[in-house]
Amino acid sequence: GSPMDEPRPGDAVLMIEVEYTPGHLASSVRGEIIIELFEEWAPNTTTNMIMHVESDIYDGIFFHRVIDDFVTQAGDPTCRTIGIYPATSLECGSGGDGHTLDLEHNENLSHVDGAIGMARSADPNSADTQWYIAETEAHGLDPENRDDEGYATFGIVRHGMSHVRA
């Protein structure tokens, strides 16, 4: 029952190639996550994401924050493997490119299962490069359910949620 349910012709589409090991002694899995960005409803946030994708800032990073049945977060350019995974920089999880984005909401966007949102600090206008995928409905992050203006959603996973959940 969300306007986000149906694909919108003309919207930008991103593909993320992922590789992971789903458990101890398991074989490596490769796959794709296909994301649609809602450019009409979140023009500044989608422009920010597209700019970062085109500058290759996300190439080689990993999902650094995974909370089962809530969110899977990535987008920190400091979260790269140093040597053998999971060895990484001490800054992993707190990095970005230093250019913040004003919080952008639209009545058509909410934290439905598979929604893409911008991570931020306590300041609502502090989103940078980090983003997350909601692994379930997470309406507690929507602005109408919070006292801190909530979090901005700007896209949705169209294919590959099984990889996000794994």
Side-chain angles (χ1 to χ4, degrees), residues 66-72 113 133-138 164-165:
V66 177
I67 303 172
D68 286 340
D69 299 322
F70 183 51
V71 298
T72 299
D113 184 24
I133 300 172
E135 288 189 31
T136 186
E137 290 188 1
V164 174
R165 290 188 175 98

Side-chain angles (χ1 to χ4, degrees), residues 43-55:
N44 298 329
T45 309
T46 56
T47 297
N48 181 65
M49 179 68 149
I50 292 167
M51 176 189 70
H52 288 124
V53 167
E54 290 177 346
S55 72

Side-chain angles (χ1 to χ4, degrees), residues 151-165:
Y151 290 77
T153 54
F154 62 99
I156 193 163
V157 173
R158 290 288 179 217
H159 176 74
M161 276 304 291
S162 60
H163 297 301
V164 174
R165 290 188 175 98

Side-chain angles (χ1 to χ4, degrees), residues 73-127:
Q73 186 171 324
D76 182 343
T78 69
C79 291
R80 298 177 190 282
T81 301
I82 298 173
I84 300 174
Y85 179 83
T88 188
S89 74
L90 296 175
E91 292 81 30
C92 179
S94 61
D97 72 355
H99 297 97
T100 58
L101 186 65
D102 287 343
L103 184 63
E104 182 174 47
H105 289 298
N106 182 287
E107 65 185 13
N108 292 309
L109 303 173
S110 66
H111 284 84
V112 297
D113 184 24
I116 309 301
M118 289 302 293
R120 63 172 178 81
S121 69
D123 177 355
N125 299 316
S126 63

